[in-house]
């Protein structure tokens, strides 16, 4: 059977000579940066194939969360670019990148980023409703049941534990069946036992949906579960 879409031949992500510098009047001039600039990422390159799992590791302040934000098009690089499924995301305007995020990827944050005025079900329904999906409620209920919160649909975030909030966030991320999932320290604000259960669930959901998973973590045990690991140190890829 022939694939009708040329996108089948593109990697999930291509990172090409990606650099990010920001103004910093306290930063002295170096061989790489003029005075008044702080280099956060320097000429980072890698490729992520579809359906694979990648961990981005590094010490705090190494630039890994900045890198993840660039992969999502939430920030703009100083130079270089990112291609998602063959699409140069920085050739798009802000609205174009927002549309790409809506159709191509989901994001899981360390701080959950749930809307406090919406209950668990409404939080998970929201991305489906933004797409105009007529089955938003049924799909959200199913996904919350899948993450073990079938009896907590009407609970608001403030009445849920940290682990339960992150389960809602995972349900919201996977309910749209995104081709690409980006996760920024998804267990960073959880205790070890809860964090382990969340990671187990994330990898299970990722296998079920066949999506590409890219996660930022400082935890080497979590990174070891991924098929590929890259290390960022002082803004450069070192492994």
């Amino acid at each position: 059977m022939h694939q009708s879409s040329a996108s089948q031949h593109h990697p999930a992500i291509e990172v090409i000579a990606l650099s990010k510098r920001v103004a910093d009047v306290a930063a002295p001039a170096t061989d790489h940066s003029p005075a008044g600039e702080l280099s956060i990422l320097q000429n980072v390159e890698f490729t992520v194939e579809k359906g694979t799992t990648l961990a981005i590791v590094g010490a705090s302040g190494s630039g890994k969360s900045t890198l993840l934000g660039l992969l999502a098009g939430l920030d703009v690089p100083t130079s270089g670019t990112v291609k998602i499924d063959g699409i140069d995301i920085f050739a798009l305007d802000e609205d174009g990148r927002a549309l790409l995020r809506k159709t191509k990827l989901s994001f899981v944050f360390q701080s959950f980023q749930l809307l406090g005025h919406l209950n668990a079900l409404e939080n998970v329904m929201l991305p489906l409703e933004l797409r105009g999906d007529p089955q938003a409620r049924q799909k959200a209920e199913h996904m919350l049941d899948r993450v073990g919160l079938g009896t907590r649909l009407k609970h608001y975030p403030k009445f849920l534990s940290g682990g339960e909030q992150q389960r809602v966030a995972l349900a919201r991320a996977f309910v749209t069946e995104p081709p690409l999932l980006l996760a920024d320290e998804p267990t960073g604000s959880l205790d070890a036992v809860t964090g382990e259960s969340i990671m187990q669930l994330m990898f299970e959901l990722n296998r079920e949906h066949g999506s590409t998973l890219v996660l930022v973590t400082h935890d080497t045990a979590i990174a070891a579960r991924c098929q590929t690991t890259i290390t960022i140190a002082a803004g450069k890829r070192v492994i």
Side-chain angles (χ1 to χ4, degrees):
M1 182 176 176
H2 295 288
Q3 296 289 350
S4 60
S5 174
S7 71
Q8 296 294 331
H9 305 294
H10 295 297
I13 303 173
E14 292 176 86
V15 177
I16 304 166
L18 197 65
S19 296
K20 178 67 177 180
R21 296 185 296 275
V22 296
D24 183 357
V25 293
T30 70
D31 291 340
H32 302 291
S33 298
E37 280 194 334
L38 177 64
S39 181
I40 300 175
L41 291 172
Q42 298 178 50
N43 204 40
V44 175
E45 294 199 341
F46 59 91
T47 299
V48 186
E49 297 299 332
K50 290 178 181 174
T52 62
T53 54
L54 168 71
I56 301 172
V57 301
S60 178
S62 61
K64 58 188 189 298
S65 289
T66 298
L67 174 56
L68 200 70
L70 289 168
L71 298 186
L74 296 170
D75 195 5
V76 178
T78 306
S79 60
T81 196
V82 175
K83 292 184 179 181
I84 302 292
D85 197 15
I87 300 169
D88 184 341
I89 66 174
F90 298 112
L92 305 173
D93 61 15
E94 193 170 328
D95 288 342
R97 290 194 296 275
L99 179 60
L100 180 135
R101 283 192 295 272
K102 187 168 145 182
T103 56
K104 296 280 189 184
L105 64 88
S106 285
F107 212 109
V108 177
F109 300 89
Q110 176 180 334
S111 56
F112 319 134
Q113 297 287 346
L114 301 178
L115 297 177
H117 65 285
L118 300 180
N119 62 33
L121 179 61
E122 291 165 340
N123 265 285
V124 178
M125 286 174 62
L126 184 59
L128 294 170
E129 290 179 324
L130 291 174
R131 290 183 173 190
D133 192 321
Q135 294 184 303
R137 175 176 287 272
Q138 298 96 305
K139 290 180 179 179
E141 287 176 348
H142 172 76
M143 188 55 70
L144 281 165
D145 188 57
R146 173 64 187 83
V147 301
L149 293 177
T151 62
R152 309 280 276 171
L153 304 181
K154 298 301 177 69
H155 288 71
Y156 289 86
K158 67 180 180 181
F159 297 115
L160 298 172
S161 69
E164 287 171 332
Q165 289 185 61
Q166 193 59 296
R167 284 171 182 267
V168 174
L170 283 180
R172 180 182 60 188
F174 279 102
V175 76
T176 58
E177 300 186 353
L180 173 62
L181 180 73
L182 305 177
D184 189 7
E185 298 279 11
T187 63
S189 58
L190 304 173
D191 64 81
V193 174
T194 305
E196 168 60 27
S197 70
I198 289 296
M199 288 312 304
Q200 187 71 27
L201 179 61
M202 176 178 285
F203 281 106
E204 285 177 8
L205 290 170
N206 194 64
R207 283 192 298 271
E208 289 171 14
H209 289 261
S211 50
T212 306
L213 172 64
V214 177
L215 63 90
V216 159
T217 184
H218 63 276
D219 188 325
T220 54
I222 292 175
R225 295 185 182 188
C226 292
Q227 292 163 293
T228 308
T229 300
I230 66 171
T231 300
I232 302 295
K236 297 179 181 179
R237 180 182 176 182
V238 295
I239 298 177

